[in-house]
Amino acid sequence: MPSLEPAILHADDALIVADKPAGLLSVPARGDERQDCLASRVQALYRDALIVHRLDMATSGLVLLARGPEMLRRMSLAFEQRVVGKRYVALVQGHVADDAGEIDLPLGPDVENRPRQIVDPLHGRRALTRYRVIARSGSGADAVSRVELKPVTGRSHQLRVHLVSIGHAILGDPLYAPPESAAREPRMHLHAAGIAFIHPDTRVPASFESPVPF
């Protein structure tokens, strides 16, 4: 079992940048056995830490936490105004045809199969993802593409559903990849590799990177 201990990449009086391992919740969920999470582990070190945005449990990588409610307000506003740059890397099934592109498909909950999300042209909220193929390898059933993803919006499961919608499920995705594929992989191959923002206190641009573990 890999360690679920997050790494603290940066901490100052305004915010904390943590590197979350795959398999650790971002915030507590229902049930006594689902209370262990990134937020509580960081709060054990910094009592005033408040999570600004979340990663899915199966996703690894960079998460911002604010120090206190005022910094949380400022950073939440930055996310709402889409001035925080996020970069993900994924391994997906098959060879993505275009070297780069956009996926602009509205998303909403799959009411019959929560927590799954679906493309919902009628009631979904707008979701936009930009992608670039880094590398293609393998052939046939073993064909894989390594892609860089930049979500412009921040919908639940956005990257996972958008990639499935163009026929390229993320390797090891427990919700959206074919079950036999998900069972073969030790983890979901999605990692939040980069984040960039204006520091809420100093107003100086800041950026952080996390090496992709797959």
Side-chain angles (χ1 to χ4, degrees), residues 103-110 117-125 158 161-166 176:
I103 307 167
D104 189 351
L105 293 169
L107 301 177
D110 182 347
Q117 305 290 307
I118 54 171
V119 173
D120 184 349
L122 203 56
H123 304 293
R125 299 171 73 192
Q158 176 176 317
V161 180
H162 270 176
L163 286 163
V164 168
S165 75
I166 63 167
Y176 302 101

mmCIF file of all heavy atoms in Angstrom, residues 103-110 117-125 158 161-166 176:
data_model
loop_
_atom_site.group_PDB
_atom_site.id
_atom_site.type_symbol
_atom_site.label_atom_id
_atom_site.label_comp_id
_atom_site.label_asym_id
_atom_site.label_seq_id
_atom_site.Cartn_x
_atom_site.Cartn_y
_atom_site.Cartn_z
ATOM 1 N N ILE A 103 -12.169 20.430 -25.743
ATOM 2 C CA ILE A 103 -13.405 19.671 -25.531
ATOM 3 C C ILE A 103 -14.359 20.617 -24.811
ATOM 4 O O ILE A 103 -14.103 21.030 -23.684
ATOM 5 C CB ILE A 103 -13.153 18.402 -24.698
ATOM 6 C CG1 ILE A 103 -12.032 17.560 -25.317
ATOM 7 C CG2 ILE A 103 -14.443 17.574 -24.597
ATOM 8 C CD1 ILE A 103 -11.507 16.465 -24.409
ATOM 9 N N ASP A 104 -15.434 20.977 -25.505
ATOM 10 C CA ASP A 104 -16.382 21.969 -24.991
ATOM 11 C C ASP A 104 -17.753 21.292 -24.916
ATOM 12 O O ASP A 104 -18.551 21.381 -25.840
ATOM 13 C CB ASP A 104 -16.407 23.182 -25.930
ATOM 14 C CG ASP A 104 -17.195 24.358 -25.358
ATOM 15 O OD1 ASP A 104 -17.862 24.168 -24.321
ATOM 16 O OD2 ASP A 104 -17.157 25.450 -25.954
ATOM 17 N N LEU A 105 -17.998 20.562 -23.823
ATOM 18 C CA LEU A 105 -19.235 19.793 -23.661
ATOM 19 C C LEU A 105 -19.797 20.024 -22.267
ATOM 20 O O LEU A 105 -19.072 19.879 -21.278
ATOM 21 C CB LEU A 105 -18.966 18.295 -23.857
ATOM 22 C CG LEU A 105 -18.552 17.836 -25.266
ATOM 23 C CD1 LEU A 105 -18.064 16.396 -25.221
ATOM 24 C CD2 LEU A 105 -19.714 17.986 -26.244
ATOM 25 N N PRO A 106 -21.080 20.380 -22.149
ATOM 26 C CA PRO A 106 -21.671 20.644 -20.835
ATOM 27 C C PRO A 106 -21.824 19.363 -20.023
ATOM 28 O O PRO A 106 -22.112 18.293 -20.560
ATOM 29 C CB PRO A 106 -23.043 21.244 -21.171
ATOM 30 C CG PRO A 106 -23.353 20.763 -22.551
ATOM 31 C CD PRO A 106 -22.039 20.565 -23.254
ATOM 32 N N LEU A 107 -21.619 19.482 -18.720
ATOM 33 C CA LEU A 107 -21.644 18.316 -17.836
ATOM 34 C C LEU A 107 -22.664 18.492 -16.714
ATOM 35 O O LEU A 107 -22.897 19.593 -16.233
ATOM 36 C CB LEU A 107 -20.259 18.089 -17.220
ATOM 37 C CG LEU A 107 -19.095 17.860 -18.193
ATOM 38 C CD1 LEU A 107 -17.790 17.732 -17.425
ATOM 39 C CD2 LEU A 107 -19.334 16.636 -19.066
ATOM 40 N N GLY A 108 -23.229 17.366 -16.311
ATOM 41 C CA GLY A 108 -24.151 17.358 -15.178
ATOM 42 C C GLY A 108 -24.135 15.999 -14.520
ATOM 43 O O GLY A 108 -23.545 15.042 -15.041
ATOM 44 N N PRO A 109 -24.801 15.853 -13.370
ATOM 45 C CA PRO A 109 -24.790 14.574 -12.657
ATOM 46 C C PRO A 109 -25.596 13.512 -13.392
ATOM 47 O O PRO A 109 -26.622 13.816 -14.008
ATOM 48 C CB PRO A 109 -25.430 14.913 -11.301
ATOM 49 C CG PRO A 109 -26.219 16.153 -11.550
ATOM 50 C CD PRO A 109 -25.525 16.907 -12.634
ATOM 51 N N ASP A 110 -25.120 12.277 -13.322
ATOM 52 C CA ASP A 110 -25.877 11.120 -13.789
ATOM 53 C C ASP A 110 -26.766 10.709 -12.612
ATOM 54 O O ASP A 110 -26.332 10.005 -11.707
ATOM 55 C CB ASP A 110 -24.918 9.994 -14.185
ATOM 56 C CG ASP A 110 -25.634 8.777 -14.728
ATOM 57 O OD1 ASP A 110 -26.879 8.697 -14.584
ATOM 58 O OD2 ASP A 110 -24.959 7.890 -15.287
ATOM 59 N N GLN A 117 -20.766 11.556 -13.559
ATOM 60 C CA GLN A 117 -21.219 12.730 -14.308
ATOM 61 C C GLN A 117 -21.386 12.316 -15.773
ATOM 62 O O GLN A 117 -20.773 11.353 -16.230
ATOM 63 C CB GLN A 117 -20.198 13.864 -14.193
ATOM 64 C CG GLN A 117 -19.836 14.261 -12.767
ATOM 65 C CD GLN A 117 -20.962 14.964 -12.045
ATOM 66 O OE1 GLN A 117 -21.518 15.941 -12.515
ATOM 67 N NE2 GLN A 117 -21.316 14.454 -10.861
ATOM 68 N N ILE A 118 -22.210 13.065 -16.494
ATOM 69 C CA ILE A 118 -22.440 12.762 -17.911
ATOM 70 C C ILE A 118 -22.436 14.057 -18.723
ATOM 71 O O ILE A 118 -22.615 15.151 -18.175
ATOM 72 C CB ILE A 118 -23.779 12.030 -18.133
ATOM 73 C CG1 ILE A 118 -24.938 12.837 -17.511
ATOM 74 C CG2 ILE A 118 -23.741 10.608 -17.583
ATOM 75 C CD1 ILE A 118 -26.321 12.321 -17.851
ATOM 76 N N VAL A 119 -22.214 13.907 -20.027
ATOM 77 C CA VAL A 119 -22.424 15.030 -20.939
ATOM 78 C C VAL A 119 -23.935 15.250 -21.017
ATOM 79 O O VAL A 119 -24.695 14.335 -21.337
ATOM 80 C CB VAL A 119 -21.836 14.732 -22.330
ATOM 81 C CG1 VAL A 119 -22.211 15.836 -23.310
ATOM 82 C CG2 VAL A 119 -20.320 14.579 -22.246
ATOM 83 N N ASP A 120 -24.372 16.466 -20.679
ATOM 84 C CA ASP A 120 -25.806 16.777 -20.619
ATOM 85 C C ASP A 120 -26.065 18.084 -21.359
ATOM 86 O O ASP A 120 -25.994 19.172 -20.778
ATOM 87 C CB ASP A 120 -26.228 16.889 -19.146
ATOM 88 C CG ASP A 120 -27.725 17.124 -18.969
ATOM 89 O OD1 ASP A 120 -28.402 17.415 -19.977
ATOM 90 O OD2 ASP A 120 -28.223 17.029 -17.830
ATOM 91 N N PRO A 121 -26.364 17.990 -22.676
ATOM 92 C CA PRO A 121 -26.547 19.206 -23.478
ATOM 93 C C PRO A 121 -27.729 20.052 -23.019
ATOM 94 O O PRO A 121 -27.756 21.259 -23.246
ATOM 95 C CB PRO A 121 -26.791 18.666 -24.895
ATOM 96 C CG PRO A 121 -26.325 17.248 -24.869
ATOM 97 C CD PRO A 121 -26.511 16.769 -23.469
ATOM 98 N N LEU A 122 -28.713 19.420 -22.365
ATOM 99 C CA LEU A 122 -29.934 20.150 -21.997
ATOM 100 C C LEU A 122 -29.792 20.898 -20.675
ATOM 101 O O LEU A 122 -30.083 22.094 -20.593
ATOM 102 C CB LEU A 122 -31.095 19.145 -21.914
ATOM 103 C CG LEU A 122 -32.504 19.716 -22.091
ATOM 104 C CD1 LEU A 122 -32.646 20.457 -23.404
ATOM 105 C CD2 LEU A 122 -33.525 18.588 -21.974
ATOM 106 N N HIS A 123 -29.323 20.185 -19.650
ATOM 107 C CA HIS A 123 -29.284 20.782 -18.311
ATOM 108 C C HIS A 123 -27.864 20.969 -17.767
ATOM 109 O O HIS A 123 -27.696 21.536 -16.683
ATOM 110 C CB HIS A 123 -30.070 19.913 -17.321
ATOM 111 C CG HIS A 123 -31.485 19.672 -17.729
ATOM 112 N ND1 HIS A 123 -32.423 20.673 -17.772
ATOM 113 C CD2 HIS A 123 -32.115 18.537 -18.136
ATOM 114 C CE1 HIS A 123 -33.579 20.180 -18.173
ATOM 115 N NE2 HIS A 123 -33.425 18.883 -18.415
ATOM 116 N N GLY A 124 -26.862 20.490 -18.478
ATOM 117 C CA GLY A 124 -25.492 20.546 -17.965
ATOM 118 C C GLY A 124 -24.928 21.961 -17.927
ATOM 119 O O GLY A 124 -25.411 22.867 -18.610
ATOM 120 N N ARG A 125 -23.889 22.121 -17.108
ATOM 121 C CA ARG A 125 -23.188 23.412 -17.037
ATOM 122 C C ARG A 125 -22.013 23.375 -17.997
ATOM 123 O O ARG A 125 -21.392 22.333 -18.204
ATOM 124 C CB ARG A 125 -22.688 23.653 -15.610
ATOM 125 C CG ARG A 125 -23.819 23.713 -14.593
ATOM 126 C CD ARG A 125 -23.270 23.724 -13.181
ATOM 127 N NE ARG A 125 -22.670 24.995 -12.849
ATOM 128 C CZ ARG A 125 -21.923 25.214 -11.774
ATOM 129 N NH1 ARG A 125 -21.668 24.222 -10.935
ATOM 130 N NH2 ARG A 125 -21.406 26.397 -11.539
ATOM 131 N N GLN A 158 -14.606 16.616 -14.517
ATOM 132 C CA GLN A 158 -14.568 17.202 -15.863
ATOM 133 C C GLN A 158 -13.585 16.515 -16.802
ATOM 134 O O GLN A 158 -13.944 16.118 -17.920
ATOM 135 C CB GLN A 158 -14.233 18.690 -15.771
ATOM 136 C CG GLN A 158 -14.077 19.367 -17.135
ATOM 137 C CD GLN A 158 -13.851 20.855 -17.024
ATOM 138 O OE1 GLN A 158 -14.505 21.518 -16.227
ATOM 139 N NE2 GLN A 158 -12.930 21.396 -17.810
ATOM 140 N N VAL A 161 -14.611 12.773 -17.657
ATOM 141 C CA VAL A 161 -15.767 12.613 -18.551
ATOM 142 C C VAL A 161 -15.458 13.162 -19.944
ATOM 143 O O VAL A 161 -15.842 12.569 -20.953
ATOM 144 C CB VAL A 161 -17.019 13.294 -17.952
ATOM 145 C CG1 VAL A 161 -18.223 13.130 -18.874
ATOM 146 C CG2 VAL A 161 -17.343 12.705 -16.586
ATOM 147 N N HIS A 162 -14.752 14.286 -20.007
ATOM 148 C CA HIS A 162 -14.401 14.850 -21.307
ATOM 149 C C HIS A 162 -13.548 13.871 -22.116
ATOM 150 O O HIS A 162 -13.751 13.701 -23.330
ATOM 151 C CB HIS A 162 -13.687 16.187 -21.134
ATOM 152 C CG HIS A 162 -14.626 17.345 -21.111
ATOM 153 N ND1 HIS A 162 -14.217 18.644 -20.876
ATOM 154 C CD2 HIS A 162 -15.967 17.417 -21.309
ATOM 155 C CE1 HIS A 162 -15.275 19.458 -20.942
ATOM 156 N NE2 HIS A 162 -16.339 18.725 -21.185
ATOM 157 N N LEU A 163 -12.589 13.224 -21.465
ATOM 158 C CA LEU A 163 -11.730 12.283 -22.196
ATOM 159 C C LEU A 163 -12.521 11.057 -22.660
ATOM 160 O O LEU A 163 -12.348 10.582 -23.781
ATOM 161 C CB LEU A 163 -10.536 11.892 -21.333
ATOM 162 C CG LEU A 163 -9.480 13.008 -21.218
ATOM 163 C CD1 LEU A 163 -8.546 12.754 -20.059
ATOM 164 C CD2 LEU A 163 -8.699 13.166 -22.518
ATOM 165 N N VAL A 164 -13.401 10.545 -21.806
ATOM 166 C CA VAL A 164 -14.260 9.428 -22.223
ATOM 167 C C VAL A 164 -15.129 9.844 -23.406
ATOM 168 O O VAL A 164 -15.359 9.060 -24.339
ATOM 169 C CB VAL A 164 -15.149 8.955 -21.050
ATOM 170 C CG1 VAL A 164 -16.245 8.012 -21.526
ATOM 171 C CG2 VAL A 164 -14.312 8.260 -20.000
ATOM 172 N N SER A 165 -15.601 11.095 -23.392
ATOM 173 C CA SER A 165 -16.519 11.556 -24.443
ATOM 174 C C SER A 165 -15.867 11.592 -25.818
ATOM 175 O O SER A 165 -16.555 11.525 -26.837
ATOM 176 C CB SER A 165 -17.073 12.946 -24.087
ATOM 177 O OG SER A 165 -16.080 13.946 -24.290
ATOM 178 N N ILE A 166 -14.537 11.683 -25.862
ATOM 179 C CA ILE A 166 -13.847 11.643 -27.163
ATOM 180 C C ILE A 166 -13.221 10.258 -27.406
ATOM 181 O O ILE A 166 -12.406 10.080 -28.303
ATOM 182 C CB ILE A 166 -12.802 12.770 -27.313
ATOM 183 C CG1 ILE A 166 -11.669 12.653 -26.272
ATOM 184 C CG2 ILE A 166 -13.470 14.143 -27.227
ATOM 185 C CD1 ILE A 166 -10.459 13.535 -26.576
ATOM 186 N N TYR A 176 -15.055 5.408 -15.059
ATOM 187 C CA TYR A 176 -15.334 5.652 -16.473
ATOM 188 C C TYR A 176 -14.575 4.742 -17.444
ATOM 189 O O TYR A 176 -14.966 4.639 -18.607
ATOM 190 C CB TYR A 176 -15.053 7.121 -16.821
ATOM 191 C CG TYR A 176 -15.863 8.086 -15.990
ATOM 192 C CD1 TYR A 176 -15.304 8.758 -14.902
ATOM 193 C CD2 TYR A 176 -17.205 8.313 -16.268
ATOM 194 C CE1 TYR A 176 -16.055 9.624 -14.132
ATOM 195 C CE2 TYR A 176 -17.962 9.189 -15.499
ATOM 196 C CZ TYR A 176 -17.383 9.839 -14.433
ATOM 197 O OH TYR A 176 -18.133 10.693 -13.667
#
